Amino acid sequence: MNPRLIPIIERIIARDTILSSFHADNLPQAALAYVRQHYLNDNFLWLTPDEQNLIEELPPFADNLSESIRPGGGIGNPDSSVYHLFDDGSLWLKTNAYSSIWADATDYAVEILLPRMTLSRMDAQLLRAIEMDDAVESVRADFYSSFAQILNRDCGIPYCDAREHWNAYSRQLGDGAREEAELGGSESGRKEGIRFASEYTINA
């Protein structure tokens, strides 16, 4: 990084709470991408043209981008959230309401995602991208456990047969809805188990 950028970035950090935990001389790639995108051609006009030119020297957004992960739904989905994962492992989370920058995507996963015990499909993609597949499978295991408990309690179905029943029952949902249900963890497993049991009782 050009040393002349350091005092400029220090001023930006002082103004921008999203960057407040970082030091100007040691910004992760996600933070540098955020600075370039938000402060190049700054609309607030507090950076001089020379300072703008220095910010333009930062790497273009795509240069260090490893992967961008978005929710499903395609065009028309009102959720514009995205995980931008960078080559150095840093993360920029953008949502409709806010942004957050993490020097290590793993820290974000451990501190924010895992305590929820439920995941979106987008969260699961991020965890797989940073080689935390076991965390995804743990949430799915919670789903199956809760589902099996309800089937055993309400229908007398052995625990070992519950997954087979889910596989058959969930065909009506489609792959996307099925994955969303499984990533909902134990609470989702309980709800799906109750729904299954109500239909099972009617058909019995």
Side-chain angles (χ1 to χ4, degrees), residues 25-189:
D25 59 351
N26 191 31
L27 288 182
Q29 290 172 348
L32 291 172
Y34 173 86
V35 168
R36 193 179 196 277
Q37 181 161 320
H38 281 266
Y39 292 97
L40 185 61
N41 302 318
D42 175 51
N43 291 327
F44 297 102
L45 302 178
W46 61 273
L47 295 175
T48 69
D50 286 344
E51 290 171 335
Q52 291 279 323
N53 290 337
L54 288 169
I55 288 178
E56 193 169 11
E57 292 179 5
L58 293 172
F61 182 87
D63 279 13
N64 299 314
L65 185 65
S66 173
E67 186 173 357
S68 290
I69 300 168
R70 292 178 169 82
I75 297 173
N77 186 347
D79 186 358
S80 62
S81 300
V82 58
Y83 288 127
H84 292 306
L85 184 63
F86 289 81
D87 294 335
D88 64 352
S90 61
L91 179 72
W92 178 3
L93 164 61
K94 294 176 66 177
T95 75
N96 293 345
Y98 69 94
S99 285
S100 64
I101 306 289
W102 294 76
D104 189 337
T106 302
D107 290 340
Y108 171 79
V110 170
E111 294 179 30
I112 304 299
L113 294 184
L114 300 190
R116 296 174 183 167
M117 299 305 294
T118 180
L119 301 169
S120 67
R121 296 173 70 191
M122 181 173 139
D123 296 334
Q125 278 186 265
L126 174 66
L127 290 174
R128 293 180 181 119
I130 59 176
E131 300 182 353
M132 293 185 67
D133 305 64
D134 288 351
V136 178
E137 293 310 307
S138 177
V139 172
R140 294 178 74 239
D142 289 343
F143 169 88
Y144 287 122
S145 177
S146 290
F147 184 78
Q149 286 175 9
I150 298 297
L151 267 61
N152 181 259
R153 184 194 72 189
D154 295 356
C155 309
I157 295 173
Y159 284 88
C160 60
D161 293 338
R163 186 170 296 213
E164 181 180 343
H165 282 281
W166 169 248
N167 289 340
Y169 177 70
S170 62
R171 290 192 190 115
Q172 62 185 312
L173 301 178
D175 291 342
R178 171 178 173 162
E179 185 181 22
E180 287 177 2
E182 294 173 358
L183 293 173
S186 59
E187 180 61 21
S188 177

Side-chain angles (χ1 to χ4, degrees), residues 1-21:
M1 182 192 299
N2 189 326
R4 294 170 59 200
L5 264 170
I6 301 298
I8 300 170
I9 293 177
E10 286 176 342
R11 287 163 55 206
I12 290 173
I13 290 174
R15 287 171 171 258
D16 195 326
T17 56
I18 292 171
L19 300 171
S20 61
S21 63

